[in-house]
Amino acid sequence: MDVILFLLFAAIAVACGVNLVVQKHPIASALSLVGVMGSLAVLYLLLGAEFIAAAQVIVYAGAIMVLFLFVIMLLNAGGEPKTPGKSRMAGLLGIPLMAVLLGLLSYLVQRALPKPAGVTFGAFTGGKPYDVGKAIFTEYMLPFEITSVLILIAILGAIVLARKEID
Amino acid sequence: MFANYLPTGAEYFRLLPEMILTAAGTLIMVLEPLTGYRRKRFLGHLALAGLLAALWAAVVAYSSPGPAFNRLIVVDGFATFFRVLVIVVGILTVLSCWDFLARHKAESGEFYSLILFSVVGQCVMVSANELITLFIGLEVSSIATYVLAGYLRDDKRANEAALKYFLLGSFATAFLLYGVAWIYGVTGTTNLVDIRQILESRDVIHPILAVSTAAALMFVGFAFKVSAAPFQIWAPDVYQGAPTPVAAFMSAGPKAAGFAILLRVYLTAFGPIDQSWVPFVWTCALATMVIGNFAALAQNNVKRLLAYSSIAHAGYIMVAVATGTAPGAAAAMFYLAAYAFMNVGAFVVVSHISGRGERKVNIDDLAGLSSRQPLTAALFSVFLLSLIGVPLTGGFFGKFYIFKAAIDSQLYWLTILGLLTSAVAAYYYLRLIVVMYMRPAVDGEEELPPLGGGLKTALWASALGTLALGIFPSAVLNFAGASGAMLVR
């Protein structure tokens, strides 16, 4: 059962991810991103990370995607204009190299990662809100606090890059 | 039950520089709406005061070295060295940006806040003892720098620079994070010292292939941040498009911090498996030196030229990393200090001569600088001679110690090619000096404004730093040697 669910949602995630890139219209891409986020949430749930799965659905698939769609609609972004001839180099070199990288990585995952100690579904404990909260506010308190500086920078960046023209 | 997680006073003390910088940055944001358009310089003075206080804090924090916050960061000689270095780079940037911002009518508190927060990120990076903290620090530093690169909103090239830097940087960061995931998957920890112990212990059969893959993936992220080949493509466009004081900052601060985490992760955590990562660092060092130096020969834009030169210097420092030894780490530390002074100084001169809209950044615009502004020309020559590696300057001892460490580690080919490419480099640096001193000024050229107080201080400080490292290198080198040895303990 676990394996079937995993394969199903992993396949959906990958398919939506590819679709996200190849779609010409930004709305279609954004909707594929919802698919990726949703299937990732299921994968987290399969691993036993309940809190992360819920946060993934509420924050990413919900709030952030709504924001994305709003921005796309506000900017009135239409279909991407075609840029012929420009990306021949990227097509010739990029796609084979990407295939090589992915092939190499999957070979290495197969080959190098220890099998018996590998992931077993549902065996993971510590995914409850209590565990996550405990980890964040005790062991990893410092990175958590520094993240607030990161958010401050994001606000500043929005002010700087979106302000009115100088003069 | 969580009482043992409460940080002690000593631990807060070790984090004091970051706390001071964050407080100063936030204070500037609060005061920004309260200061009038003509009074923004006050916020710059505030940023300077914050940086100086953080410099003091970084030095006194070393009086009680040790780990803090559940071993997430560690204050040792290495961290202190780089903290002082990145804070000094921040000080020089703030000093040198006043005239530039006033000329572009772009003075605002956000600029200073972003510089301070970027320095916070770099301080966290260099003292991080654990991969998650390291990653957060890297992101804080990088994202602030992306915004700074696009700070002049109306400049098309600045927009291009910011977008390119942001997209490629995020891509590289993803590789770094993937590598972190691998190493966590293999060892079950993200603490650098614990990773080393697991890799050293003989009773655990660790899959060396998986650890090497993690090391390679993380190297992609680090190499991007320090603009080492083949991940250097962004550097010329970004340095050219970004405001010159920001380019000065980017080429010294984040680069030094990037090399600091590279050294700490590879020498401390991956030290036991050095036979598997030295070959690709070796290749990267060679490619970076060759590409940087030869591409710089063809440049006419001084900012682009300095960008390629900064790639080339990343190559020399990679040679030091490729030794994988404590003397190599010490040489890299010394070189980064010397490089920070001379490179920031060179960029400060460029920002002075560039004029409104940064139109005068070609080599021809330097013509007759020696008669127009003798002091600027003389100081620029000091920085350029140091970048070449002429004796009595910091650049000479930097190169000397790096190649000495390389020879001691039997990296003969790398040493020979490094020396050959630095001979090539002499050509394009000397070309600038020749144009400044030998070619007369173009008639009808508008007068350069006199050096402002901030610029003058920054220039003199960089020049004194460059010369001090060239004449009395031993104090800095001894400190670097002692703290480099701690990495491979």
Side-chain angles (χ1 to χ4, degrees), chain A residues 20-137:
Chain A
L20 165 74
V21 180
V22 296
Q23 280 295 333
K24 287 273 180 281
H25 202 283
I27 295 276
S29 292
L31 290 177
S32 327
L33 192 55
V34 178
V36 178
M37 303 284 193
S39 23
L40 279 183
V42 177
L43 295 185
Y44 291 142
L45 205 56
L46 282 176
L47 288 171
E50 303 155 23
F51 180 75
I52 307 283
Q56 173 83 9
V57 171
I58 296 168
V59 178
Y60 285 93
I64 293 196
M65 284 318 301
V66 170
L67 212 61
F68 271 19
L69 288 175
F70 263 131
V71 169
I72 293 172
M73 286 174 180
L74 275 178
L75 293 177
N76 214 357
E80 196 181 329
K82 286 210 165 120
T83 46
K86 232 180 170 177
S87 56
R88 176 174 292 173
M89 183 75 172
L92 275 180
L93 268 179
I95 292 174
L97 281 178
M98 192 184 72
V100 168
L101 176 71
L102 291 179
L104 197 64
L105 278 176
S106 40
Y107 169 76
L108 284 168
V109 171
Q110 285 284 323
R111 183 68 200 280
L113 290 185
K115 286 241 171 50
V119 180
T120 45
F121 291 105
F124 177 78
T125 51
K128 296 195 174 58
Y130 170 83
D131 305 305
V132 175
K134 193 183 152 201
I136 285 183
F137 292 108

Side-chain angles (χ1 to χ4, degrees), chain B residues 10 136 212 262 264 312 394:
Chain B
I136 299 277
S212 316
L262 181 68
R264 205 193 272 278

Side-chain angles (χ1 to χ4, degrees), chain A residues 4-25:
Chain A
I4 296 171
L5 278 176
F6 170 77
L7 287 176
L8 184 65
F9 282 97
I12 294 178
V14 172
C16 286
V18 172
N19 192 42
L20 165 74
V21 180
V22 296
Q23 280 295 333
K24 287 273 180 281
H25 202 283

